Structure formats: structure tokens, C-alpha cells
Amino acid sequence: MKLVLLLALFLWVQLGGARRGAPKMPSKVLSPPSALGPKNHSSPSAPLPEDPVLIGGPPEQLSAQDPAPQLSPTEGPSWRKAKGHRGAPERGKVAQEARQDGAEVLGTRRGSLPGEETGPPRAAGTAPGAKARSEPPATARNSSHSAGAAQDAGVSRRAGKGQQVLGKQPPPRRSNATRLEAGRTRPAVRPEGGPIMPSLPTACLLSDSAIACGNVHMKQVPALSDPGLKMLYLADNEISRLPRGVFAGLPNLEWVDLSKNQLDSGGLHPEAFQNLTKLKRLNLDGNQLTRIPALPPSLLELKVNDNGLESLQSDSFRGLSKLLTLELEGDELHDGNVIPTSFKPLRSLIYLRLDRNRFRAIPSGLPPSLQELHLDSNRIEEVREGLLNKTLDLSVLVLSNNKLQEDRIAPRAWIDLPKLESLDLSYNRLVHVPSFLPRRLRQLTLHHNRIERVPGYVFAHLRPGLESLHLSHNRLRAEGVHAASFAGLGRSLAELLLDHNQLQAVPRGLLGLKGLQVLRLSHNLIRQVPLNSVCDTRVAEDSSLVSMRLEQNLIDPRRIPPTAFSCIRAYHSVVLHPQRGQA
């Protein structure tokens, strides 16, 4: 019995000592490993699961003596969450390092944090420049999936609006303009990806908003469908038809060039362009159209040059109230097939080109808004009074290469046009400079006529006066130009071209042109340069001349007075050589 009691006392002493020497347990019990595993957290305040790989191993290896400190509120959440998921901030210094390394794994693309690196993906904990692990760690898990599934599938994480898969490089971006490989035809692909048509010829060029397929022997407009396309260039092809809905997939086109094709009015559907509500520029040059097609009201520029237009009717330009530029050059238009009301809808037109047609007079009914009118190479024989009375904004008028004579120009045909500054009457049949010129005229072009005389005071009514007068290639002789011929141009005239005439002497009246800078007298019959014909030696004043051409005359330089050009500042401004008969 005593032996039993002694044994029990011994065991009690041993157990008590063990209890006294045991370490103190922490007040906060560590959560079991399953608590850190990916559960389906339905509450928005549930913590984001931490990655055991990033924080140094499985949770059971953490020491109980090192409780994790709280993350500072200023540091905020370490990861951007996928749309619709809210998570609590990660905890601990190790978690903060994991955030930094994780950002490097993902790379910084759209929506990256300030200061994060944008280099290639690397594994967490790997120093910059070091080789990344072959299997990048998972840095963030979606709480609705299991850990095993996340590791097998390769964890992905949203960065800004895009999503990038860990361990994969982003695909290379396409350039804005792509040239198809030579010798092959393949589907044309937009830079964003996605085919826009079955195939394009190899020479076509593509960009973000344009397709250019010029001179590729295309026989029809391809079936395009791309709302982002704004420019379509199909010039120099063999397109003969534009069916209805041909541009139905291109609602935002602004510029279409179909020049030099084989389009005729029969192959162009009346509603081919109607859905192009944003079209601004249309080029139909070099086709076989006989009438103007129906066009959208948004159009600003229309070119139908070198076609076979047979007429302009009152409805030819219906709805084109915004049109600014109209070119109808090289067609079959004449006085009999252009209705006076055909231009009435063009309330904004400022530029009209009707060159190389068969007009015998300036067309009537021109838009009052017109600023520039070109009627070169027609058969115009007269300018009647009243035709231009309503075009008060007209500033440029070109009537070159016609059959005009000065006695067929009405006295008040254009004298009262308040803004007309440039008048081109070259290549006509004028015998002298016309009278009753527009009062505001600044540039008068009269070369290649039959002009023999510049009447006195013909420019005297001009205010502020001509700046440029071109009289080259005429029949002017010395007696046809006298002192009063340039009256009124003393301060304004800067350029006077009298080359290729029949002048035997330097014209009189040049001394009064104080603002003259360019004087061309070459290719005449001038034999001498008298004293005081170019420079007034009685006045110590420099001339404003910077260029004087006297070559190809009959002048003997040795007989020119030493002070004949004394007022000209630079010697090289006067060109005397070669003269006729000289080598």
C-alpha cells in the first residue's frame, strides 16, 4: 500500500513540473489552415485570400509568436479586384511585398499604379533582371473558384479595363498602315482585327480609317463593312457599276475617289450614294457619266471632270446647299443644255470650274455666293452686261483661251464688281487693253493676245491700283505705249511683263512707276537704253527694281550710258546677256 502511494506522489510531482515549465500559449489562436484556403465568401467584407506561395509557404509554417501586424489604412487594398468583387486589405509586411512583386508579375499596362515597373513579367520575389520561374505564382484568386482549379487553369487578373494572363506576353500591336505581301491575296484585316472583306488585291493599302486600292484592275466596289472607314480610294480601276447599297456597310465615309473608272449613268444606281450622310468629298473624274447622280446633302466638294455630261437641269444639284466646290471641266456643256436655274440650289458655292466646255457666253444664274469662276478653253465671244451683277463676292475670274474681243465686252460687264481682284484674259483676240476694268482689280493677265496698244489712262480709275500686269507675247510697239499708259499705277504696280513684243525702245512712263520691282523687256527689238529712261539721274534716289531683264534684244552694251542703271542697287539685278546675234 505504501509503495502505491509513493508511486502516485512521484507521478504527481512530475506532472506538476511539466505543467510549470510549459510555454505560455498566445492569447489569439491561429486560424486553422482551412481558414486561409479559398472559400466562397458571400460577404463583401470577407478578406481577400492570401497566396501561400507569395508569403513564404503554407499557413501552418507561420510562427505563433509572430502575429501579423495590421496594414496601414493609407496603403489601401493591394490589388485591383475583378468587376463586382470587393475585398478587405491584405495584412502584414510580407503581404505588402507580395503586392509589389505581384504588380511586377502582371506588368503595368492600362490602369497601372504610379511607380510600378512596366518591364516584362517576372516571378514574385525575383529581383529585376533575374530569370523568372517557369511557373509564375498565383497572385490573386477569384473567391468563387477553388485553389486547385485556379492553379491548374493559370490565374488571371484584370488590369484596368483589359485582362492579362500571368506568364504570357501581350500580343504585338499591329501598325496603323499595313501593306499586303507582294504576290499574294489574303483577307484584309483591320489593325484591331476582324476581316472587312473576303479579299483585297496585293497592292492595296490599309490604315485605321482609310483603304487605298488605286490601279489594281478592280472591276467592282468590294463588299466592305466597317463603320470606322472614312476614306475610300478606288481610282484608276475598271469599275463599271455602283448598285444600290454598295456603301451600306460604310455609313461614316467622308471621302470617296472613283476617278478614272468606267462608270456610266446606266450603271450607277440612283440611290448609290444616298446612305452616305457624312460624305464630304466625291471625285468622279474621268468616267462616262452623262448626268449628275443623286448625292447626299452633306457634300462639300464634287468633281465630275472629263465625263460626258450632256446637260444641267434644275434638279441636278438638288439638296446640295452645303456644296463649296464644283468642278465640271471637260464635259459637253454649252449654253443650250445648261438651264439658268440649275445652279439655284448651290447657295454656298464659292468655287466653280467649267473649263474645256463649249460655252459661248458666261452662264446665267450663277450663285451669288460665288468667289472664283473658271471658264478657260471655251468658245466665249462676248461678255454681256448683267450676267455677273449678282455675283458680288466674285474675286477671281478666268476667261483665258476663248475668242474675246474688246468691243464684245460690255462697258458695265464687270466694272462694278466690288471684290473682283484677279482677271485672266490671256489667249484671246484682244487688240488693245480693255477699258472699264473692275475698279478693285489687282492682277490683270493679258499675255498671248494681239494687243498693239495700251490706251492712256486705261488704269486711272483703279483703286488702289494694279499690282501685276502681264502683257507678254503680244504685238506692242514703241508708239503703242506712251507716258499716260500707266497713269494711276505709280505706287501700286510691282510687276510689269512686256517681254516677247515688238518694242524698239524702252517704254516711256517707267520713271513714274515708283513701286516697280520686276520689269521684263526681254525678247524685243530694243536697240538702246537712253539716259533717264530707267533711272532719273536728276534725282538722288534708289529704284525699287530688283529684277530687270533686257536679254535677247539688239542692244550694244558698250553704248549704254554709265549712269543708265545707277539707281538700281545690285548690279546683278540687270540682265543684258545674251543679245541677239551674239554667241
Side-chain angles (χ1 to χ4, degrees), residues 383-385 406-416 435-438:
V383 181
R384 297 193 298 269
E385 187 173 340
E406 62 278 355
D407 58 349
R408 302 293 300 274
I409 301 174
R412 305 193 69 83
W414 46 46
I415 190 172
D416 293 324
S435 302
F436 307 105
L437 293 169

Side-chain angles (χ1 to χ4, degrees), residues 53 105 122-124 126 131-138 151-152 154 166-167:
V53 180
V105 172
R122 63 185 182 90
T126 307
K131 188 175 181 181
R133 286 187 261 179
S134 59
E135 296 182 0
Q151 292 177 357
D152 293 340
L166 296 180

Side-chain angles (χ1 to χ4, degrees), residues 10-310:
F10 176 77
L11 291 174
W12 180 82
V13 172
Q14 292 297 327
L15 289 174
R19 190 175 290 113
R20 284 191 301 270
K24 249 180 140 181
M25 294 299 291
S27 58
K28 184 175 180 179
V29 180
L30 187 66
S31 300
S34 61
L36 293 175
K39 292 281 185 179
N40 187 9
H41 302 281
S42 59
S43 173
S45 60
L48 181 69
E50 295 177 346
D51 194 338
V53 180
L54 287 179
I55 60 177
E60 50 267 75
Q61 295 179 359
L62 293 177
S63 172
Q65 288 91 349
D66 297 324
Q70 292 289 340
L71 186 66
S72 171
T74 59
E75 293 177 312
S78 58
W79 303 110
R80 286 183 175 85
K81 307 299 183 292
K83 187 175 181 181
H85 177 78
R86 295 172 57 192
E90 293 173 328
R91 306 177 63 182
K93 181 178 180 181
V94 178
Q96 185 177 357
E97 295 175 356
R99 179 183 65 177
Q100 298 172 353
D101 288 339
E104 294 170 350
V105 172
L106 286 173
T108 57
R109 197 173 176 182
R110 185 182 301 175
S112 59
L113 296 175
E116 290 182 337
E117 297 179 2
T118 59
R122 63 185 182 90
T126 307
K131 188 175 181 181
R133 286 187 261 179
S134 59
E135 296 182 0
T139 60
R141 292 186 175 88
N142 191 319
S143 58
S144 61
H145 297 283
S146 64
Q151 292 177 357
D152 293 340
V155 182
S156 66
R157 177 179 179 272
R158 293 189 182 275
K161 293 182 180 178
Q163 189 172 16
Q164 187 172 358
V165 180
L166 296 180
K168 293 184 179 180
Q169 293 280 2
R173 296 174 66 99
R174 295 178 182 268
S175 61
N176 287 339
T178 305
R179 186 177 181 94
L180 301 183
E181 298 177 7
R184 297 181 59 190
T185 301
R186 64 180 186 181
V189 180
R190 304 290 299 165
E192 297 81 11
I196 58 174
M197 62 176 296
S199 63
L200 280 176
T202 57
C204 290
L205 299 175
L206 288 80
S207 74
D208 286 341
S209 60
I211 292 179
C213 294
N215 194 18
V216 295
H217 306 289
M218 189 176 288
K219 297 184 181 298
Q220 62 183 7
V221 176
L224 300 170
S225 179
D226 186 356
L229 198 67
K230 294 185 177 180
M231 191 199 81
L232 181 61
Y233 180 84
L234 300 176
D236 291 283
N237 282 292
E238 302 169 13
I239 300 171
S240 59
R241 295 182 65 254
L242 289 182
R244 182 178 183 178
V246 65
F247 301 114
L250 307 172
N252 296 314
L253 272 180
E254 297 180 1
W255 180 26
V256 175
D257 193 329
L258 289 164
S259 59
K260 298 182 181 179
N261 277 278
Q262 299 175 12
L263 291 170
D264 57 30
S265 295
L268 199 155
H269 193 277
E271 300 180 6
F273 300 103
Q274 287 303 300
N275 73 300
L276 301 180
T277 58
K278 298 183 180 179
L279 188 63
K280 297 179 181 178
R281 302 174 63 186
L282 176 61
N283 191 338
L284 296 171
D285 291 351
N287 283 281
Q288 302 165 21
L289 300 175
T290 57
R291 62 179 181 270
I292 302 293
L295 298 168
S298 59
L299 205 60
L300 301 179
E301 178 185 273
L302 174 61
K303 295 182 179 182
V304 198
N305 301 312
D306 297 299
N307 278 264
L309 294 181
E310 297 176 349

Side-chain angles (χ1 to χ4, degrees), residues 330-345:
D331 288 297
E332 299 296 327
L333 301 176
H334 55 80
D335 308 78
N337 61 14
V338 176
I339 307 301
T341 58
S342 58
F343 299 109
K344 188 175 181 179

Side-chain angles (χ1 to χ4, degrees), residues 481-520:
V481 182
H482 44 82
S485 294
F486 305 111
L489 306 181
R491 296 294 177 183
S492 64
L493 193 64
E495 182 182 50
L496 176 59
L497 306 185
L498 296 168
D499 57 285
H500 292 88
N501 278 280
Q502 300 173 19
L503 297 170
Q504 299 96 342
V506 176
R508 292 168 290 177
L510 296 182
L511 291 180
L513 302 177
K514 302 299 182 181
L516 194 62
Q517 300 178 25
V518 177
L519 175 61
R520 191 180 298 172

Side-chain angles (χ1 to χ4, degrees), residues 355 372-376 396-400 402 422-424:
D355 301 339
E372 192 165 338
L373 175 60
H374 291 255
L375 284 163
D376 177 87
V396 177
L397 177 58
V398 178
L399 293 170
S400 57
N402 280 285
S422 177
L423 178 61
D424 189 348

